Amino acid sequence: MATLYDVPAEDLNEAVAERLAEEDDVQEPDWFKFAKTGVGRELPPEQEDFWQLRAASLLRKVAVDGPTGVGALRTAYGDSKQGSNRYVVRPEQTTDASGKIIRVALQQLEEAGYVQTAEGEGRRITPEGQSLLDDTAGEVLEDLDRPELERYA
């Protein structure tokens, strides 16, 4: 039986995002088309399935690092920005990601039953969420026939 550690994270996130989109548990809010993903960004994301991909990535991150809170996830998904676009006169600074996007996605995952709140610790994965990740990892592992990913098989 394959686990989430046996497959590449990018392939697992894409497969979990497809399953979340099929189940309609995680939906993009109306306000999201106007929101940036962090202070270091200039525009909102252009991917059509960004919300499902971010939710799948958050689910995997909570499973690997859990229990974890929104603040730690903001730092993990943060970015770096430079002082100016024209003259780079100061060193890069790190910025946090948008807390609202992470919080709302985690709340949707919690309503779907994949994540639960651990009092004072943040959020941790539920057995349903773990089985979703492991089942999807098994499907992804069967589909891996690329030679550069042979070490995962």
Side-chain angles (χ1 to χ4, degrees):
M1 182 169 142
T3 63
L4 65 114
Y5 301 104
D6 297 333
V7 294
E10 184 177 331
D11 295 333
L12 179 64
N13 287 342
E14 290 174 2
V16 171
E18 290 175 8
R19 288 184 78 176
L20 290 175
E22 290 171 2
E23 296 174 2
D24 292 333
D25 290 333
V26 178
Q27 293 294 323
E28 178 180 301
D30 296 333
W31 52 262
F32 182 66
K33 58 186 167 190
F34 304 110
K36 299 188 306 180
T37 58
V39 177
R41 299 293 181 169
E42 293 184 13
L43 297 172
E46 295 179 354
Q47 295 173 312
E48 291 186 21
D49 61 343
F50 176 82
W51 190 265
Q52 284 78 17
L53 277 173
R54 178 58 61 99
S57 176
L58 283 168
L59 183 64
R60 182 186 174 279
K61 195 91 164 148
V62 168
V64 171
D65 296 338
T68 184
V70 175
L73 292 170
R74 285 185 69 193
T75 303
Y77 286 96
D79 198 13
S80 64
K81 68 175 188 175
Q82 294 182 351
S84 170
N85 288 339
R86 186 169 180 183
Y87 304 108
V88 181
V89 295
R90 91 180 165 196
E92 291 185 357
Q93 296 177 335
T94 59
T95 60
D96 289 341
S98 171
K100 174 124 178 145
I101 292 174
I102 293 172
R103 192 175 306 107
V104 171
L106 285 173
Q107 289 169 352
Q108 289 180 354
L109 289 171
E110 195 170 348
E111 289 174 9
Y114 299 131
V115 174
Q116 68 183 5
T117 303
E119 290 299 322
E121 298 177 358
R123 289 185 171 85
R124 67 172 52 135
I125 195 154
T126 61
E128 292 85 12
Q130 188 70 43
S131 68
L132 172 72
L133 288 172
D134 290 343
D135 294 343
T136 308
E139 295 171 7
V140 169
L141 192 62
E142 290 175 2
D143 294 339
L144 288 180
D145 53 344
R146 299 189 311 206
E148 68 270 11
L149 298 177
E150 189 176 273
R151 65 177 181 220
Y152 294 105

